[in-house]
DNA sequence: AATGGTCAAGCAGAA
DNA sequence: TTCTGCTTGACCATT
C-alpha cells in the first residue's frame, strides 16, 4: 500500500477536532460514535450488544464525516469506543460482521474520497512500556484493535492515519523504559507498527519531545503537543521542539496538537486543563502540520477559531 | 422519570 | 497507604 497524501487547500493546514461533535450530539436522535457499555452490561449482553453498538457508532461516524466535509473540516480523531470491548474478541467474531464491515468500508471510502485525515488515540491505560507484562499485552492488544479498525476502514498503513499513544510513565528509569517501549513496538504487527505515533506528556517528570525523538524517533513519529510542551520544554522553544518532532515524520505531514490552558481563559483549573476554545493557532504550526485542536467546545472551537483567523 | 454514585484497563504525585 | 486526575460525560441501580 502506498501512503496517501491528500490534495487540499495546502495553504491552510487541516485543523481537526477530537471524538465528539457537540452539534450532532444535540440532535434528536443524537449522533455519536462513542457508545460504550459498562462491565455489567458487557457481562449480561455480551458480543451481540457490542455488535449493535458498533453498527450504530459506524452509521453515525459516516454522518459525522459528512458533517465535517460540509463544514470544511478534513481532520478528525475517532473515538476509541468505536467498537466497545474489542479487547475481548476479534472483529470477525462479531455477529453480522459483514454488515459492520460494509459500514466501515463506506466510512473509509468517504475519508479517502474527500482527502480527509482520520486518527485514533487509545486511552491512558495503554502503557506499552509498562514493567508489568500483562499490562504490556493489554496495551499491545489495544493498539492492534485500533489497527484492525483502520484496516476495516481500508485506510493505509501509515502514520498519516495514526494511532497515537503516550509512553506516559518512567518507572523511575527512562533509559530502561525507552528500551521496553522499543521492544513492545517490535512486537506489534506490521500494520499496527506502521501507524503508531507517540506524543509528549504533560508532566515535567515524563516524556518531552527531545527525549521521545532520541528514544523512539527513528521508528515512531513524534506528535508535538503545543500545550504539553510547557511542562516538558527542556529549554526548547515551542518552535524548536516542533521542528525536532517534525524530523521524525519523513514524507508524511506531521500531526500536532494545539490547545490553550483553561486558566488563560479565566477558569480556576489545574495548569494542564484545556480551555473550551482556542484564540489562535500559530501560523508556523498551521503551515507545517495538521493541527488537532483539543478544546472543550470541540467542533465549535474549530469553527470559531477559523472564523476569527480568516 | 429523575437522581446520584460509579464507571475495564495504569501510572504519578499529592494527601 | 490511600486517593485523585487523566476527558467529560454516560451508564445504571435506586427511588
Amino acid at each position: 500500500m502506498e501512503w496517501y497524501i491528500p490534495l487540499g487547500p495546502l495553504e491552510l493546514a487541516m485543523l481537526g477536532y477530537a471524538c465528539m461533535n457537540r452539534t450532532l450530539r444535540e440532535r434528536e436522535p443524537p449522533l455519536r460514535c462513542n457508545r460504550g457499555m459498562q462491565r455489567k452490561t458487557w457481562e449480561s449482553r455480551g458480543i451481540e450488544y457490542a455488535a449493535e453498538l458498533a453498527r450504530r457508532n459506524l452509521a453515525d461516524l459516516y454522518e459525522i464525516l459528512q458533517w465535517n466535509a460540509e463544514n470544511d473540516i478534513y481532520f478528525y480523531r475517532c473515538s476509541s469506543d468505536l467498537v466497545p470491548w474489542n479487547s475481548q474478541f476479534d472483529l470477525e467474531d462479531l455477529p453480522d460482521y459483514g454488515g459492520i464491515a460494509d459500514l466501515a468500508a463506506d466510512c473509509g471510502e468517504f475519508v479517502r474520497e474527500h482527502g480527509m485525515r482520520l486518527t485514533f488515540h487509545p486511552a491512558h491505560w495503554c502503557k506499552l512500556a509498562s514493567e508489568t507484562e500483562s499490562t504490556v499485552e493489554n496495551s499491545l492488544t489495544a493498539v492492534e484493535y485500533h489497527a484492525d479498525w483502520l484496516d476495516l476502514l481500508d485506510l493505509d498503513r501509515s502514520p498519516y492515519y495514526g494511532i497515537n499513544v503516550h509512553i506516559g510513565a518512567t518507572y523511575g528509569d527512562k533509559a530502561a523504559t525507552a528500551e521496553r517501549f522499543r521492544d513492545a513496538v517490535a512486537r506489534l504487527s506490521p500494520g499496527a507498527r506502521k501507524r503508531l505515533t507517540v506524543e509528549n506528556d504533560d508532566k515535567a517528570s515524563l516524556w518531552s519531545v527531545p527525549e521521545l525523538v532520541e528514544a523512539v524517533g527513528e521508528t515512531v513519529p513524534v506528535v508535538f503537543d503545543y500545550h504539553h510542551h510547557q511542562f516538558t520544554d527542556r529549554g526548547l522553544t515551542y518552535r524548536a521542539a516542533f521542528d525536532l518532532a517534525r524530523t521524525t515524520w519523513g514524507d508524511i505531514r506531521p500531526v500536532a496538537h494545539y490547545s490553550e490552558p483553561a486558566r488563560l481563559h479565566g477558569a480556576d483549573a489545574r495548569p494542564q486543563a484545556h480551555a473550551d476554545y482556542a484564540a489562535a493557532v500559530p501560523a508556523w504550526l498551521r503551515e507545517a502540520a495538521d493541527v488537532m485542536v483539543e478544546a472543550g467546545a470541540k467542533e465549535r472551537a474549530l469553527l470559531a477559531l477559523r472564523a476569527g483567523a480568516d
Side-chain angles (χ1 to χ4, degrees), chain A residues 222-242:
Chain A
V222 174
V223 168
F224 169 68
D225 187 302
Y226 184 101
H227 175 53
H228 293 174
H229 178 68
Q230 71 188 289
F231 304 103
T232 58
D233 70 36
R234 310 296 189 251
L236 296 181
T237 63
Y238 288 92
R239 198 160 179 172
F242 170 67

Side-chain angles (χ1 to χ4, degrees), chain A residues 181-258:
Chain A
F181 187 85
R182 289 189 296 265
D183 289 346
V185 171
R187 292 168 66 183
L188 288 168
S189 69
R193 191 163 55 239
K194 288 178 186 171
R195 288 160 165 143
L196 194 71
T197 64
V198 65
E199 173 185 349
N200 52 317
D201 287 302
D202 68 354
K203 276 197 269 194
S205 64
L206 300 184
W207 293 86
S208 66
V209 166
E211 288 159 348
L212 290 173
V213 170
E214 156 105 31
V216 302
E218 289 231 345
T219 49
V220 184
V222 174
V223 168
F224 169 68
D225 187 302
Y226 184 101
H227 175 53
H228 293 174
H229 178 68
Q230 71 188 289
F231 304 103
T232 58
D233 70 36
R234 310 296 189 251
L236 296 181
T237 63
Y238 288 92
R239 198 160 179 172
F242 170 67
D243 285 341
L244 187 57
R246 189 183 187 178
T247 63
T248 62
W249 284 83
D251 294 334
I252 302 291
R253 189 172 172 84
V255 167
H257 293 176
Y258 183 81

Side-chain angles (χ1 to χ4, degrees), chain A residues 3 14 16 46 64 86 110 135 148 151 168 201 207 244 248 252 255:
Chain A
W3 288 349
M14 294 205 286
I64 290 168
N86 202 358
F110 192 90
T135 300
D148 291 342
D151 280 347
D201 287 302
W207 293 86
L244 187 57
T248 62
I252 302 291
V255 167

Side-chain angles (χ1 to χ4, degrees), chain A residues 57-196:
Chain A
N57 286 341
L58 282 162
D60 285 3
L61 173 60
Y62 191 84
E63 299 213 39
I64 290 168
L65 294 169
Q66 280 187 313
W67 186 96
N68 289 350
E70 287 161 10
N71 288 276
D72 290 321
I73 295 171
Y74 297 97
F75 186 20
Y76 179 65
R77 179 195 301 164
C78 184
S79 164
S80 287
D81 271 328
L82 186 63
V83 182
W85 290 85
N86 202 358
S87 61
Q88 306 300 307
F89 53 82
D90 293 332
L91 283 175
E92 293 79 4
D93 299 332
L94 287 166
D96 188 30
Y97 169 72
I100 287 166
D102 287 345
L103 286 170
D106 289 344
C107 290
E109 184 179 10
F110 192 90
V111 167
R112 289 193 311 274
E113 288 191 345
H114 290 80
M116 290 179 162
R117 186 166 196 173
L118 183 141
T119 59
F120 284 102
H121 197 351
H124 57 267
W125 49 76
C126 179
K127 289 292 196 297
L128 289 169
S130 176
E131 295 180 295
T132 307
E133 169 60 16
S134 59
T135 300
V136 178
E137 287 171 9
N138 292 343
S139 302
L140 291 167
T141 299
V143 177
E144 292 292 346
Y145 67 71
H146 284 84
D148 291 342
W149 300 345
L150 286 162
D151 280 347
L152 206 63
L153 291 158
D154 197 20
L155 297 175
D156 291 354
R157 294 176 165 182
S158 141
Y160 190 78
Y161 304 105
I163 301 169
N164 181 51
V165 301
H166 290 266
I167 297 183
T170 65
Y171 313 91
D173 184 341
K174 275 191 176 147
T177 299
E179 187 166 358
R180 284 195 307 278
F181 187 85
R182 289 189 296 265
D183 289 346
V185 171
R187 292 168 66 183
L188 288 168
S189 69
R193 191 163 55 239
K194 288 178 186 171
R195 288 160 165 143
L196 194 71

Side-chain angles (χ1 to χ4, degrees), chain A residues 16-37:
Chain A
Y17 68 99
C19 302
M20 183 170 49
N21 181 308
R22 294 188 178 276
T23 304
L24 296 177
R25 182 68 185 80
E26 287 167 12
R27 271 204 192 156
E28 198 53 50
L31 295 180
R32 46 190 286 236
C33 62
N34 64 343
R35 295 175 185 82
M37 58 178 136

